[in-house]
Each structure stands twice: as C-alpha cells, then as structure tokens.
Amino acid sequence: MREVDLAVLGAGPAGMRAALTAANSGAKVVLLDEQQVAGGQIYREVNRQGVGRGALLGRDYTHGLTWVKEVAASNVEHLAEATGWQIENSGEITFSRGGQAQQIAAKRIVLATGALERAFPFPGWTMPGVISAGAAQILLKGSGIVPQKAVLVGSGPLLYLIAVQLLAAGSPPLAILETQSFESYLRSARLFPAALKGWRYFVKGTQMLLNLKRAGVTRYTGVSEIAAVGEKYVEGIRFQFRGQKKQLACGLILGHQGVVPNVQFSRALGLEHGWNDLQRSFTPRTDHWGRSSEERVFIAGDGAGIVGARASALQGEICALQVLHDLSFINTAQRDNTAESRRKELAVELAPRALLDALYRPPDWAVVPVCDDTIICRCERVKTGDLRNLAAGACVGPNQAKALSRAGMGSCQGRYCGLSVSELFSKTNGRSLAEVGYYRLRSPVKGITLGELASLAVGEALE
Amino acid sequence: MKNALHFKRLSSDDPCLQITWNGKPLDAVAGETVAACLLANSVLAFQGEDLSDPPRGPFCMMGACYTCRVLVNGVEQQACMVEVKQDMHVSCVDPEKEILHAGS
Amino acid sequence: MDFEYAIIGGGVVGLSIARGLSARGKRVAVFDGEDTDYRASRGNFGLIWVQSKGLQAPAYARWTRQSAALWRGFADELEAASGIDLALVQQGGWDFFFSEKSLHARASLYQGLADQLGERDDFEITDANKLKREEPAIGPQVVGALYGARDGHVNPLRLLQALGQTLQRSDSKYLTGCIVQSVRALASGFEINTANGPVRAQKVVLAAGLGAAILGPSLGFVAPVRPQRGQVIVTQKLSPFIRRPSGIIRQVDEGGVQIGDSNEEVGFDDSQQLSVMAKLAQRAVKVYPVLANASIVRSWSALRIMSPDGLPIYQESRLYPGAYLATCHSGITLAAAHTCLLPSWLEGEESAPRLEAFSEERFAL
Ligand SMILES: Cc1cc2nc3c(=O)[nH]c(=O)nc-3n(C[C@H](O)[C@H](O)[C@H](O)COP(=O)(O)OP(=O)(O)OC[C@H]3O[C@@H](n4cnc5c(N)ncnc54)[C@H](O)[C@@H]3O)c2cc1C
Ligand SMILES: Cc1cc2nc3c(=O)[nH]c(=O)nc-3n(C[C@H](O)[C@H](O)[C@H](O)COP(=O)(O)OP(=O)(O)OC[C@H]3O[C@@H](n4cnc5c(N)ncnc54)[C@H](O)[C@@H]3O)c2cc1C
Ligand code: FES
C-alpha cells in the first residue's frame, strides 16, 4: 500500500488549504476529491469557466481560482475523480477511481468533505421538478444550464446568492418564498453587535436584496404550509402567506434550508459527535486544532460545523499546522506563531455566524413535516406518519426505526432523512437530540460495486 | 408542465455533441454532466417513467441523493457525476436488463 | 403481582416467547434496551435453516426441524394478527461447494445425521449441471451444492416488527428503552428493577441476548454466552434472479441481495473490517458472477450470541425456581418453536418439549 504523511479528503477551501500548508512544509500529501477539478462546492469548476460564467457568478466565486492554481503548481498530489468510501482510524483510506478500488495509508487524515444541503421535506418534494437550490447552482457552475421561471423556497443566505446568480444569468426566479418570519429577526436581534465585526457579509446581503428588488423578483416572507402541486411532475406551488392561501404555477421548485455538516465519514469512523442546537445539526467533536476523537483524524471546514468558505480555509491551515507538528515537520513555536494569526482571522470570519444561524434557523415544520403523508425518506419512500407512529409506540430511536421502517436504508444512506428522523424522535418522545442520537453509519460511504470490493480481497478465499 | 422548457443553456455554449437517451438522440455540450444534459433536453424524470413507481428525478447534483442513477453505456452511474461524451448511450435503470448485462 | 411473566430482552427470542405466552392469556411485560444496544435481531441473515444444524447433536437437529415445520402456521397467524407480510418462503435452500472433495465430505456427515434421525429424502446432492438448471445465474466455479428441502427464509426485520406490534396491542407491556438493572427473588415471584422503578412478576425469563451474561449470575445462571461477529453486505434492489437462499447469499423480498456472513471471534466489537468484507464479496461473485456489477447499498456487522457448543440454552434456575434462561444463536429459525412450544415448558406442563439436552449444566464440567 502506498504511504503518505497526510491524506486530505475533499478539495474545497478547507482541503486545498490544508494540503497546501502541509505540502509547503515538506510533508508528502495526497488530496482526493470525487469532482473532476479542485474547488469544492463554492469554487466548483472555477478553473474551467469562460470569462463570462465566472463574471455572472461573482467575485467570491472567482476568488477560488488562486487556490486551485496553487494546488496545481504545488507538490500536492491531487487525485481527481477519486471517490473515498472507506476510512479506518489507523489511517487507511480506500477510494474508487475509474471503477477501480485503490488504497493509501496515511499517517494523518484531514476530512474536508464539507456540507450537504439540509433536507427540506414538504408535500410533493420527491416529484421530478423539485430540486435543491444548491443543485440549481451546481448546474449553473458546472454545466452552464439555468432553471427557467423557478420558484425558490426556504431560507438562508445561499438562497439569495443563488437568486442573484440566476438573475445575472438572465433567468431570474419567478418568486422567492422565504420561510423565516418576523420572529427570526427578533430572535437574532441581540446578536447584531457581535456580528458587526463581520460587516462585509451584511453589506453583501443588503446589496443582493436590492438587486432582486430592482429586477422585480417578488419576495414573500414568513410563508408556511408549502406544498408542491402536480400529478406526477411539478405544476405549481401552494403556500400560506399572511393568513392567506396562495398558489403559483411553475415547473421547478428550488428548495433550501441552509447547509449542514456532511457527517458520513465522521459517523462511519465512529467519531464522537454532539448536537449543535444553534446550527440544528450534529457536529463531530474536535479540539481547537481540528483533531477529532481519533488521534490520526482531523476535520476542517463545513464538515466540522458550518463556518463558510473563508473560515473553512483557515481551519484547513490550522489542522495542517498540527499535523505538521505531530509529524515533526515544524516545532511548537513555528506552529503557534502561524496559528495565532490564522486564529485572529478566523475570529473575524466567525463573528457573524451566530447571527446567520439564528436568523436563518429552519422552522420546525421544515425539518419534521406536519402532514403525516409527507415522505421523509426519499429512497425508501417512508412517510412522516409511519415514523411518528413508531416513535409514539415502542420504538426507541432512529436505529430501531431504520430496522422497522427502512427509513435510512436506501442508497443515500440517510443523508437526506437522518436529521429529520432524529428530530422527529426528539419531538415525539420529549428526549434531547443528544440522547436520541443519529443513525449508525457504515462503510462503504459511497455506492461501489461488489466487484470492486471483491478486488480488494487478499489471501485465502472463503470456502 | 412536463413539456415546458425548464432549463436553458447559457447562450455562449452551443450544442456540439450527441448522446442518446433511451435510444433517442439528444444534443449535448462538452463539459456538462449527463444530468444537466437530460434536464436541458426537458427530461426531468430519470427513473420510473414507464414503471408503476412514481417517477423520480435528480435532486442534489452533488452525488449525495442517488436519485439520478442511470445506465451509462450499460453501467449504472450517477448522472450528476459523469460528463457527457460523444455517442454515450444513456438509459433508464431497468433492474431486469441490468442483471443480464452484468452477466456478459 | 403486576405481571405473570417478566421477559428481559425484547429481541426476537424474548418477543417470540412473549407472543406464545400472551396467546395463552398470560400477562407479560417485556423489557428492552436502548437504540444502540447490540441486537442480533436487527443484524441477522433471515434464514430459517435446517441443513447443517445439529450435525453433532441430534437433539438440536430435531428441535430445529420441529421449529421449521411450525413456521408456516406461526407466520400465518402472525401475519393475520399484524397485517405485516413476513415474506416467508420455505422452498429449500443450498449449500454451495467449490470442490468435489468438500462437497462429498459434507454429504457424508449429512447422511450420518439422516440415518440417526431416521429421515429419508433429507437432503440431495446437486451436481453442477442440475444446479445450473435450478439456478441459471450460478457461476462456473461452483461444482455442486447440497440441497436441503426444509430450508427457507423470511424478512427478519418485519418479523421483529410484527412481534413487537402485536405485543403492543395485547394486554401485555412492551417496555423499551427500559434496561433491567437488577432482579431480586422475592418470597413469591421476582422484583425487576429499572430506572423507572420496580416491577413485580411471578416468573422471569432472561432472554437478553448478550446481556444475559451480566444479569445471569444474580438469578443463579452462568449464562456462558459470547459475541461472535458477522458482517453482511446488501446490494441495490434487483429483479428476482436467485431462486433459493443459501447460507451465504439470498435475495430478499424487496430485491436486494444479501451477502454474508463472517464468523469472527473479536469480542464486543461490531465495527467492520474491509478485508473481511472484500472476501465476502469475492465469494459472492464466485457464486453468482452477475453480482460483480451490482452496487452495494449498505453493509453492517452484528454480534451473534454464542454458547460454548453453539447450541441453545434453556434452563430453569435451580436456586430460584421460576427464573428461566433462554438464548440461542438461531433465533429466527427457532422463533416458531419459541412461540408455540416454549410456553408449555415454562408452565411446566406434561406436554412440554424435552429440553434437558439444552440445559446449561452441560457446560459444568
Ligand atoms: C451545494 C452547495 C453549494 C454551495 N455554494 C456556496 C456558494 O456559492 N458560496 C458560499 O459561500 N458557500 C457555498 N456553500 C457552502 C460551502 O459548503 C462552504 O462555503 C465551503 O465550500 C465549505 O468548504 P469545505 O472545504 O468545508 O467543503 P466543500 O467546499 O464542500 O468541499 C468538500 C469537497 O469534498 C468532496 N467530497 C465529499 N465527499 C467525498 C468523497 N466521499 N470522496 C471524495 N471527495 C468527496 C466534494 O466533492 C467537495 O469537493 C455551498 C454548499 C453546498 C452544499
Ligand atoms: C450476522 C448474523 C446473522 C445471523 N443469521 C441468522 C439466520 O440466518 N437465521 C437465524 O435463525 N439466526 C441468525 N442469527 C442469529 C439471530 O439473529 C439471533 O439468534 C437472535 O436475533 C437472537 O435474539 P435475541 O433476542 O436473543 O438477542 P438480541 O436480538 O441481541 O436481543 C437482545 C435484547 O435484549 C436487550 N437487553 C439486553 N440486556 C438487557 C437488560 N439488562 N434489560 C433490558 N433489555 C436488555 C437488548 O436491548 C436487546 O434488544 C444471525 C445473527 C447474526 C449476528
Ligand atoms: S442528483 Fe443527487 S446524486 Fe445525482
């Protein structure tokens, strides 16, 4: 098996900066990512864009190009289209490339697999024509296709960013339905002073709203009772607005309720996690260097709790400093000197986080549907009511529910139902989320074929 | 709304490749994913169209939800994770056919 | 007295016994643990398996056969009561071989048992040609199989669900998330202590799987059970192409192909090991080469509950009559016997099955 000092999984801002920092101090580093090019979610395909597409996506996007180029010019060995599917605490990492399983043994691992969009289940959300807002952005960044007359629904800063990007691409959304209400503003008001350090965010935010207004995009705030309307395909969206039922005709609904850490690997590794109520998600426990409950495994970026792209990059660097220190590439003074300045920058980046989290906290009904008929588990089509019945009966938690209902057993391995199921149990049984816990996740974290797994068999075959 | 235009290609990119979807020719643009190509051609459901199941379409575009699975030249793949290539044959996953394929 | 029976453990063993008792009108309380407990009932392979059972122990072979024969009726009743389809199929099963030598060695063991039991048509040696006709997808490396007519399979998760659901509808109690911390014998009956306070019952059945080893001594049992790990892999759903189950591969009613299962002595460790998974995959592809292209959807490992000789333990406590231990490593296969036959043993009836061979005193030496 090939050996390296550091394997970084995920080539977003966190992974790129971790890999570069370590490699620049002499460590042997591989950087794996399943995408064709480095960049992660925010800088997806940034180095492949013509001038035009980059311009309409904005400066925050094109900023990533510097790092992508730096990776290409560095000693970091970047393995693109390498999908990781199994990691062991000992540092072995197994991945698929071109349908072939390969393995690398690393002295340290940095998990930088980023975030997933939070599932936003509402009646009809499994119909073709409902996609996540992030998915629409990926189509734009990666493939240059733009949704037409779509309705954006949900909450979170990304919702506006994507609206603005669609506008710039010449296809403004039909409307934006915002699920946050006046209460969310009140709830977050006390957080404003602390957040002012991160003023850049707010200038940007105000500018975005202004642009949308100028373009005549209708915004409905404080909406509820969202439902996709249609027989087999989306034909419209129904919702409640200021005490009135409304319906808009549309063929595409782009849903979004913020992003949550992608915990597939941290869970499959059995790392410790805690409930982060502000972000309404589970996050792996890490120390201030990003080290997880396993000595050799570090986590940086949104995968350790949502922090945004710049903070992710800084966390990546901080992780790498400790990795370099662990492996004696740098001494304590060298580590601490650089870390101190990175931490200062990080504090500025994190200043507005609490406000953003409070302001765009998803409403309860967007996490656990009110209607019993609404599907929670997309893969196995398990409905809210079935799970509620289990929780109200003798079923003790998400893992028992998985066995009894098949929720979480499908191909997405619980990525889009896990948080809803845990919250449903918490709510129905009055237990804290820390007590309720989450699905026990297992490898392979990504779908691979049996043949590929079989190719790793060594030694005597089984009778 | 099944036949309305749901997605538009940015005008600067002109179709220059051909693939097939369930045997029908479709225009494709180099660099786009199979999922994007199908959507740009108004194919919203990738699974279950002709089966008794309700149709399913892609959802996340980042390889996480697995509802975009299709057969690409006979091998099951996530349509959102694969780029189009000239003469690629893409079709609905049909479990029955698939297991026979696998035998060859 | 709050209950006639307290059953500690709400896995398939405890629930099967509870079903039998409550069908007889007994008031039963079943205590079960937390969401992340070790639960063989959630991680097993779903076989109702007869061939290969009790090759060295005819009493066990008979007990297994008795249960397999009762399964259809047991399932019919449970399905009617719960409205849940258990996907029971008992149309025989395979044991595959990659070498003639091991096939024939095994066959002679089977013959020995069949002679002892006085059974005819117990099993059949199936050569490669015949096997190919029966299982068209079989691979060329399989030289033949042993066919067992009594073998079958079931959806074990739906079995668990149906047992739990029907119990909740009876006047018995299913107390989940309710760990039994200790049990105390009273002048008459037992006091079961949980975090939610004590419960009293006339009799107590310890069916706590691996948890039995902890509570056992306080009731006068040794309960010498140990964990044995089994890893299992499941593929995406495929249209039916495997006709009959085998000990290592079966296609479940939902379409997925389940591939198992390892036997590892690793203590209380239910993590997975890639090297073992790879070998399971390799063997499965050897048996059904078409599987090479099937994608894996899930995999897991779970701990079996093993006694030193692999046979069940059914024991009434000598120190505290009225306390019973029930544990086995094939709780799916034996579910029908546990529901239909164990209650009469617990009640001390004339017609009770003879279970001396499964006393834990056999380990006393
Ligand atoms: C769909 C989506 C769109 C977003 N768009 C924006 C945006 O436009 N602007 C913004 O400020 N923030 C955006 N975000 C938030 C974004 O997550 C952070 O700002 C930032 O990208 C986080 O950086 P990161 O390095 O932690 O993770 P990411 O940038 O998410 O990078 C993670 C990388 O890990 C890779 N990966 C994951 N699993 C595997 C695996 N098993 N094998 C191999 N590689 C794997 C992924 O391909 C990805 O490249 C978006 C988030 C999502 C989910
Ligand atoms: C990989 C694998 C494959 C298998 N395949 C088959 C097969 O094909 N066919 C077959 O017949 N069998 C099979 N088995 C075996 C079968 O699964 C078990 O025999 C059966 O599930 C045992 O059930 P149980 O109720 O004794 O134990 P468990 O399912 O482990 O249940 C024990 C229960 O007791 C509870 N408990 C423990 N301590 C306490 C306490 N102090 N208080 C309250 N509750 C407590 C726990 O919460 C748990 O729910 C397999 C097992 C494994 C691991
Ligand atoms: S669209 Fe979700 S995996 Fe492809």
Side-chain angles (χ1 to χ4, degrees):
Chain A
M1 200 178 301
R2 279 189 53 204
E3 285 182 25
V4 297
D5 294 314
L6 173 65
V8 179
L9 190 68
M16 289 192 289
R17 293 310 308 169
L20 284 167
T21 307
N24 290 344
S25 289
K28 192 170 168 192
V29 182
V30 285
L31 173 62
L32 301 115
D33 198 293
E34 62 182 333
Q35 294 190 46
Q36 276 132 352
V37 291
Q41 292 311 341
I42 179 166
Y43 310 129
R44 178 177 280 269
E45 314 237 350
V46 67
N47 65 339
R48 290 180 154 197
Q49 306 295 347
V51 190
R53 223 189 279 170
L56 66 87
L57 286 165
R59 253 210 317 212
D60 274 346
Y61 175 61
T62 46
H63 170 82
L65 195 55
T66 331
W67 290 342
V68 172
K69 283 186 175 157
E70 232 181 289
V71 168
S74 72
N75 290 332
V76 172
E77 183 185 356
H78 173 210
L79 298 179
E81 295 183 85
T83 304
W85 52 266
Q86 143 107 12
I87 296 179
E88 310 221 346
N89 290 333
S90 58
E92 275 162 33
I93 186 163
T94 312
F95 56 97
S96 273
R97 233 185 155 204
Q100 294 286 312
Q102 297 178 34
Q103 293 184 296
I104 286 178
K107 295 193 181 109
R108 291 291 180 273
I109 286 179
V110 172
L111 288 178
T113 54
L116 295 174
E117 281 175 280
R118 179 194 296 281
F120 178 15
F122 51 80
W125 76 304
T126 54
M127 270 193 282
V130 180
I131 66 172
S132 72
Q137 192 201 39
I138 292 171
L139 286 167
L140 177 58
K141 287 180 184 171
S143 299
I145 77 164
V146 210
Q148 302 299 296
K149 300 208 165 79
V151 170
L152 277 162
V153 56
S155 102
L158 256 180
L159 198 71
Y160 305 114
L161 173 62
I162 293 169
V164 169
Q165 289 172 334
L166 297 182
L167 181 65
S171 302
L174 195 63
I176 307 181
L177 315 186
E178 298 166 26
T179 55
Q180 78 270 26
S181 57
F182 188 58
E183 284 89 80
S184 19
Y185 291 103
L186 288 184
R187 192 171 54 219
S188 27
R190 64 185 172 81
L191 299 166
F192 264 103
L196 282 179
K197 272 203 274 177
W199 56 272
R200 272 193 304 107
Y201 280 92
F202 300 105
V203 174
K204 255 193 281 181
T206 318
Q207 189 60 45
M208 286 199 284
L209 294 183
L210 207 62
N211 287 348
L212 291 169
K213 191 169 176 187
R214 279 206 201 107
V217 177
T218 322
R219 288 173 56 204
Y220 299 88
T221 52
V223 303
S224 60
E225 295 178 35
I226 309 273
V229 182
E231 188 76 26
K232 283 183 162 176
Y233 294 83
V234 172
E235 290 164 20
I237 185 164
R238 215 175 33 225
F239 57 98
Q240 180 94 10
F241 174 64
R242 294 194 182 145
Q244 285 194 327
K245 291 207 184 313
K246 286 204 172 283
Q247 183 161 335
L248 300 174
C250 65
L252 277 180
I253 297 172
L254 316 181
H256 181 79
Q257 287 291 352
V259 298
V260 293
N262 174 1
V263 294
Q264 300 304 113
F265 277 111
S266 55
R267 287 277 177 187
L269 275 161
L271 305 180
E272 284 170 25
H273 288 69
W275 176 253
N276 179 335
D277 199 54
L278 204 55
Q279 298 201 336
R280 217 170 175 160
S281 58
F282 288 100
T283 42
R285 278 191 219 289
T286 52
D287 69 10
H288 70 304
W289 296 104
R291 197 195 301 269
S292 74
S293 53
E294 282 290 331
E295 193 194 355
R296 298 171 203 229
V297 182
F298 291 72
I299 310 177
D302 276 1
I306 303 306
V307 291
R310 282 165 187 267
S312 293
L314 292 164
Q315 286 183 347
E317 294 188 30
I318 292 169
C319 270
L321 290 171
Q322 181 62 14
V323 167
L324 288 166
H325 186 262
D326 275 5
L327 304 180
S328 306
F329 283 96
I330 57 174
N331 62 32
T332 309
Q334 289 168 315
R335 177 195 69 182
D336 292 348
N337 273 342
T338 321
E340 200 188 312
S341 77
R342 295 297 173 269
R343 284 193 213 284
K344 277 197 192 124
E345 290 177 65
L346 187 59
V348 174
E349 287 301 326
L350 294 182
R353 221 3 87 181
L355 175 64
L356 293 175
D357 291 340
L359 188 55
Y360 298 115
R361 184 180 175 80
D364 291 350
W365 56 265
V367 178
V368 181
V370 175
C371 175
D372 275 347
D373 269 343
T374 307
I375 287 174
I376 282 193
C377 165
R378 298 172 64 84
C379 300
E380 298 289 329
R381 293 187 187 271
V382 184
K383 293 181 173 169
T384 310
D386 299 337
L387 289 158
R388 254 200 281 268
N389 285 341
L390 283 174
C395 181
V396 272
N399 290 290
Q400 192 77 347
K402 181 174 173 182
L404 299 181
S405 73
R406 297 187 65 81
M409 275 198 189
S411 310
C412 91
Q413 302 184 333
R415 285 169 173 88
Y416 290 106
C417 67
L419 284 172
S420 292
V421 170
S422 290
E423 287 224 18
L424 181 148
F425 268 88
S426 165
K427 202 169 162 195
T428 312
N429 297 339
R431 293 174 115 185
S432 73
L433 275 136
E435 275 178 285
V436 168
Y438 194 74
Y439 292 141
R440 170 105 188 246
L441 301 183
R442 301 282 203 165
S443 71
V445 161
K446 282 272 176 162
I448 52 156
T449 64
L450 211 58
E452 215 180 319
L453 177 57
S455 76
L456 294 173
V458 284
E460 218 171 300
L462 296 175
E463 253 301 295
Chain B
M1 287 271 188
K2 196 183 158 193
N3 292 314
L5 177 67
H6 290 85
F7 289 90
K8 203 176 79 186
R9 292 194 173 101
L10 288 175
S11 53
S12 56
D13 308 316
D14 288 318
C16 58
L17 299 177
Q18 284 242 311
I19 68 164
T20 66
W21 167 244
N22 290 333
K24 281 195 330 254
L26 297 184
D27 288 334
V29 174
E32 70 188 7
T33 62
V34 170
C37 173
L38 293 176
L39 291 172
N41 284 283
S42 291
V43 177
L44 292 193
F46 294 9
Q47 286 177 37
E49 266 266 62
D50 313 313
L51 306 169
S52 52
D53 266 359
R56 294 182 191 223
F59 178 70
C60 72
M61 300 299 160
M62 54 183 284
C65 75
Y66 286 82
T67 42
C68 66
R69 278 172 309 182
V70 292
L71 292 181
V72 176
N73 298 330
V75 179
E76 193 177 306
Q77 290 193 286
Q78 290 168 296
C80 70
M81 301 297 284
V82 180
E83 274 189 23
V84 291
K85 298 233 161 59
Q86 178 65 30
D87 297 329
M88 204 176 231
H89 295 296
V90 184
S91 57
C92 265
V93 173
D94 175 346
E96 220 145 318
K97 279 208 203 92
E98 184 185 24
I99 200 72
L100 295 179
H101 264 285
S104 56
Chain C
M1 225 22 86
D2 304 324
F3 295 94
E4 289 170 272
Y5 280 89
I7 297 184
I8 306 173
V12 79
V13 171
L15 289 174
S16 301
I17 298 172
R19 176 166 178 75
L21 287 170
S22 77
R24 290 165 157 250
K26 302 287 169 200
R27 248 176 75 70
V28 181
V30 177
F31 298 84
D32 196 42
E34 289 298 338
D35 194 40
T36 50
D37 280 7
Y38 296 117
R39 287 166 189 268
S41 304
R42 221 158 59 185
N44 67 76
F45 209 66
L47 295 173
I48 294 167
W49 211 245
V50 173
Q51 64 165 306
S52 81
K53 294 285 172 66
L55 285 177
Q56 317 297 339
Y60 182 40
R62 275 192 210 99
W63 183 236
T64 301
R65 281 151 204 256
Q66 223 172 339
S67 189
L70 288 166
W71 241 102
R72 184 74 262 173
F74 162 72
D76 287 347
E77 277 183 25
L78 185 55
E79 286 179 340
S82 65
I84 294 171
D85 175 9
L86 301 179
L88 172 68
V89 181
Q90 288 179 291
Q91 290 172 359
W94 305 114
D95 189 3
F96 297 121
F97 291 87
F98 301 115
S99 93
E100 294 282 351
K101 202 171 141 212
S102 49
L103 182 133
H104 289 288
R106 192 74 171 171
S108 69
L109 283 178
Y110 279 22
Q111 190 58 55
L113 178 67
D115 292 345
Q116 247 181 336
L117 298 176
E119 296 267 16
R120 289 170 61 228
D121 306 327
D122 201 40
F123 71 97
E124 195 183 305
I125 298 177
T126 311
D127 67 20
N129 285 333
K130 175 142 191 235
L131 188 57
K132 187 82 190 164
R133 285 196 300 277
E134 298 277 333
E135 293 284 342
I138 207 84
Q141 294 194 60
V142 180
V143 301
L146 290 173
Y147 170 75
R150 293 174 177 79
D151 297 326
H153 57 158
V154 68
N155 185 316
L157 297 178
R158 284 200 230 129
L159 169 65
L160 189 65
Q161 190 188 11
L163 287 170
Q165 194 172 305
T166 49
L167 186 73
Q168 286 172 71
R169 290 205 210 118
S170 69
D171 31 274
S172 295
K173 276 254 183 306
Y174 189 15
L175 303 161
T176 53
C178 191
I179 303 267
V180 174
Q181 291 156 343
S182 65
V183 186
R184 195 160 63 92
L186 307 172
S188 157
F190 297 86
E191 185 182 80
I192 319 297
N193 293 300
T194 72
N196 307 331
V199 173
R200 289 174 175 213
Q202 201 63 53
K203 292 186 169 187
V204 57
V205 182
L206 183 55
L210 291 167
I214 301 167
L215 287 177
S218 65
L219 288 170
F221 302 114
V222 184
V225 288
R226 68 167 201 282
Q228 186 193 61
R229 185 166 75 185
Q231 302 190 46
V232 180
I233 303 167
V234 175
T235 70
Q236 67 187 125
K237 294 173 185 170
L238 300 165
S239 63
F241 75 100
I242 295 180
R243 298 240 172 107
R244 291 198 178 91
S246 69
I248 53 172
I249 302 175
R250 71 182 190 102
Q251 189 163 20
V252 306
D253 58 307
E254 288 113 349
V257 176
Q258 203 167 296
I259 292 157
D261 43 347
S262 55
N263 300 280
E264 302 163 75
E265 299 293 341
V266 290
F268 285 90
D269 172 2
D270 70 346
S271 63
Q272 291 163 288
Q273 214 186 331
L274 188 59
S275 57
V276 176
M277 287 165 61
K279 284 191 179 183
L280 294 175
Q282 182 187 44
R283 181 172 65 182
V285 170
K286 232 156 91 174
V287 175
Y288 294 111
V290 295
L291 283 175
N293 282 356
S295 41
I296 297 169
V297 174
R298 264 174 307 130
S299 75
W300 67 84
S301 85
L303 302 181
R304 293 189 191 81
I305 301 128
M306 293 299 278
S307 68
D309 59 5
L311 271 49
I313 304 176
Y314 305 112
Q315 173 80 53
E316 180 171 6
S317 172
R318 301 237 170 224
L319 278 177
Y320 306 107
Y324 301 83
L325 169 65
T327 181
C328 69
H329 108 284
S330 288
I332 306 304
T333 308
L334 296 179
H338 290 163
T339 294
C340 307
L341 304 177
L342 270 196
S344 69
W345 175 73
L346 294 168
E347 289 285 286
E349 290 168 2
E350 279 295 315
S351 60
R354 317 281 311 180
L355 298 174
E356 292 79 5
F358 306 116
S359 146
E360 74 167 8
E361 281 153 19
R362 68 185 189 271
F363 306 118
L365 302 177

